């Protein structure tokens, strides 16, 4: 999973492994929580058919990860510009 995240980040950006690892853990936790909630039926107390939310949950997880990576890339680029200006 880390290799996939690293591949999604441009080679010229300086996004740290620590930042990518955090996004990996956040994404995995989100997916695990939904899957566990469906399997142990706790989500049944909140929704009449939690399995029907699968596509929407996957889309949400993907969108959140995409936004997070875009934000990390943008911050990396801003740091690089600031470093150039201070050099």
């Amino acid at each position: 999973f880390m290799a996939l995240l690293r591949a999604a980040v441009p080679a010229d950006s300086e996004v740290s492994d620590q930042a990518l690892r955090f996004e990996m853990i956040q994404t995995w936790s989100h997916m695990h929580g939904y899957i566990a909630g469906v399997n142990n039926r706790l989500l049944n107390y909140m929704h009449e058919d939690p399995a029907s939310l699968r596509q929407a949950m996957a889309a949400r997880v993907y969108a959140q990860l995409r936004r997070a990576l875009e934000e990390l890339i943008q911050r990396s680029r801003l740091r690089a510009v600031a470093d150039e200006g201070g050099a």
Side-chain angles (χ1 to χ4, degrees):
F1 198 74
M2 281 293 290
L4 290 173
L5 291 179
R6 180 54 67 195
V9 175
D12 65 341
S13 67
E14 295 184 16
V15 176
S16 71
D17 283 347
Q18 182 180 357
L20 290 178
R21 189 168 290 110
F22 177 84
E23 294 307 327
M24 176 188 67
I25 291 168
Q26 192 281 329
T27 300
W28 183 88
S29 297
H30 193 154
M31 292 185 304
H32 179 271
Y34 172 69
I35 293 166
V38 168
N39 287 340
N40 65 25
R41 300 187 179 170
L42 288 174
L43 290 180
N44 289 344
Y45 293 106
M46 295 179 258
H47 192 276
E48 63 279 355
D49 183 15
S52 70
L53 302 173
R54 186 184 64 184
Q55 290 295 332
M57 290 297 287
R60 173 70 56 94
V61 168
Y62 174 76
Q64 287 176 337
L65 179 58
R66 184 175 174 186
R67 277 192 306 273
L69 292 177
E70 288 170 354
E71 199 174 293
L72 288 171
I73 293 164
Q74 182 65 22
R75 277 191 259 158
S76 170
R77 289 181 177 154
L78 289 173
R79 274 193 310 274
V81 168
D83 290 347
E84 287 176 9

